[in-house]
Amino acid sequence: MQAVVHHGPNSLDGLKVEEMKEGVPNPDEVKVRLKSSGLNHRDLRILSWRKEEDGPVILGSDGAGIVEETGERVGNVRPGDEVVINPSLGWPCRSEAPPAGFQILGHPTPGTFASSIVVPAENVEPKPKHLTWAEAGVLPLAALTGYRALFSRGMVQAGEHVLIPGIGSGVATFMLLMAKAAGARVTVTSRWEEKRNKALELGADEAIDSDADWNVELKGKKVDLIVDSVGPATFHKSLQQLRPGGRWVNFGETSGSTVEVPLRTLFMGQFDLHGTAMGSSEEFRDMLRLVNQHQIRPVIDQVFPLSEAKQAFMRMEDGQQFGKIGFENN
């Protein structure tokens, strides 16, 4: 089968599209003929983790397709079913943190940038009928991450004001759509005027320049919840916008991995700071219910054939995409 394979060490030059052997499902697994998949920042980060001695790995955590074969003990799906793949392996129920042994599909296990994939039967769910294959393929990881950040960790409520710094990523655009579906007011930030305008088209209540004075732009009004993946570039500006007793949820570090926390501001503000990443199978199903109920559609930046994987990775590395970058299989 055709697959996007990375050969270590850290380099885009290690990305190759080549023929790999197809998997065969064990008794509790299914084989899915993939129609589409989605690129995530995680796929870029994996390149930096890899060493010279590491063997080849098929990348990719997002995917959707048609069940082709099932193991003898599988009863929840049948060949011909249209499914989306839950990339969280070994995290069945909502909890404060993932259990020991939790992994994410695509590293070290073979991922979705391929013609087919074998996964545990418990990791496939029915594809939302209102989504195209391209939309379904980019849904899983980013939508799950955004759902847990907003609802399980952020505890967003209707009528609250949510601030999302750095709009444009797949997770951030999902959170904008989900927060609006939940009845929240949403403010986003970006350095790019085009991204701010697109966010307004998607329903954002305000879209402010990341380089502007946020106190002025928000007219002194504080927010209830900040959901952040930017990190140090906007941390202090964001923290100034949080109301006393407000919640801060972080799921990324696109501008760096370290921030200095002003402790007096933290304890006098009585803030709740939370970290999050990915989510459980229970949250994945809850996310799909929300997507179906509100007919939420992923925002797609661009779709590439698997043969142009390197160009897709380079577009994400440049950081100019708005929404999800996808792959399609013929």
Side-chain angles (χ1 to χ4, degrees), residues 218-262:
L218 290 172
K219 300 179 175 63
K221 296 179 181 178
K222 302 299 183 181
V223 303
D224 302 286
L225 170 65
I226 297 171
V227 191
D228 169 67
S229 65
V230 178
T234 58
F235 177 81
H236 293 282
K237 294 180 76 169
S238 295
L239 199 62
Q240 293 174 14
Q241 309 312 315
L242 195 59
R243 67 162 174 81
R247 292 102 64 204
W248 174 292
V249 179
N250 174 268
F251 64 93
E253 51 181 6
T254 57
S255 66
S257 60
T258 304
V259 296
E260 291 188 3
V261 179

Side-chain angles (χ1 to χ4, degrees), residues 87-103:
S88 282
L89 302 175
W91 189 358
C93 301
R94 181 184 278 104
S95 56
E96 292 180 342
F102 166 70
Q103 291 185 342

Side-chain angles (χ1 to χ4, degrees), residues 2-77:
Q2 188 182 58
V4 178
V5 181
H6 186 258
H7 301 262
N10 172 25
S11 172
L12 280 174
D13 293 335
L15 280 177
K16 310 290 182 183
V17 179
E18 54 190 55
E19 288 296 314
M20 299 289 283
K21 185 178 180 179
E22 294 201 8
V24 177
N26 289 325
D28 297 310
E29 295 179 325
V30 298
K31 180 179 180 179
V32 178
R33 182 63 53 183
L34 289 157
K35 300 285 287 185
S36 57
S37 53
L39 185 63
N40 292 287
H41 279 98
R42 178 177 188 269
D43 300 302
L44 273 177
R45 291 196 296 272
I46 286 172
L47 305 189
S48 67
W49 303 341
R50 309 254 301 146
K51 300 180 177 60
E52 185 71 44
E53 62 271 21
D54 289 340
V57 63
I58 300 174
L59 299 176
S61 302
D62 282 340
I66 300 173
V67 175
E68 186 173 80
E69 186 179 350
T70 65
E72 60 189 28
R73 288 199 295 261
V74 173
N76 61 317
V77 291

